[in-house]
Amino acid sequence: MNTIPSQEFYQLENWLQVLTKTYADYPSNALAKVILYYLSRIIHHDDALLMPEKQCDYISMQKFWHWQSRNKF
C-alpha cells in the first residue's frame, strides 16, 4: 500500500486553498457550495485514509462551509 498521497490529492488541497482565499475577498453562497464540493472530494478520496487526523479536520471544515452556504448575503 502506498503511504504517500497522490498528486491528485494535493491538487485538490491546493484548489481548496485558492477557493477559501477567494471566499475571504468575495464571499457568496455559491462559492461556499463549491468549497463544500471540493471538501467532499477530499474527504472521500482514497488517499484521505492515509491521514485520518486531516480527514477529521476536513469533516469539521465541511460542517462550517455547509453553514456558510446557507447564510444569506
Side-chain angles (χ1 to χ4, degrees):
M1 180 177 177
N2 190 4
T3 59
I4 300 172
S6 66
Q7 186 65 27
E8 178 188 24
F9 187 81
Y10 287 122
Q11 287 174 340
L12 289 170
E13 286 188 321
N14 289 338
W15 188 236
L16 184 62
Q17 278 187 325
V18 169
L19 291 169
T20 55
K21 287 178 183 177
T22 302
Y23 184 90
D25 294 331
Y26 308 100
S28 72
N29 297 73
L31 187 51
K33 288 177 184 178
V34 173
I35 292 169
L36 271 174
Y37 169 76
Y38 277 90
L39 280 168
S40 180
R41 286 190 61 191
I42 289 171
I43 290 166
H44 294 99
H45 196 281
D46 290 339
D47 292 347
L49 298 174
L50 300 173
M51 303 166 285
E53 67 286 343
K54 265 186 140 180
Q55 193 174 30
C56 290
D57 292 342
Y58 284 127
I59 290 170
S60 295
M61 287 174 66
Q62 189 177 36
K63 291 176 184 177
F64 171 79
W65 287 106
H66 180 72
W67 176 75
Q68 285 295 99
S69 71
R70 299 201 179 270
N71 278 344
K72 297 189 181 199
F73 287 93

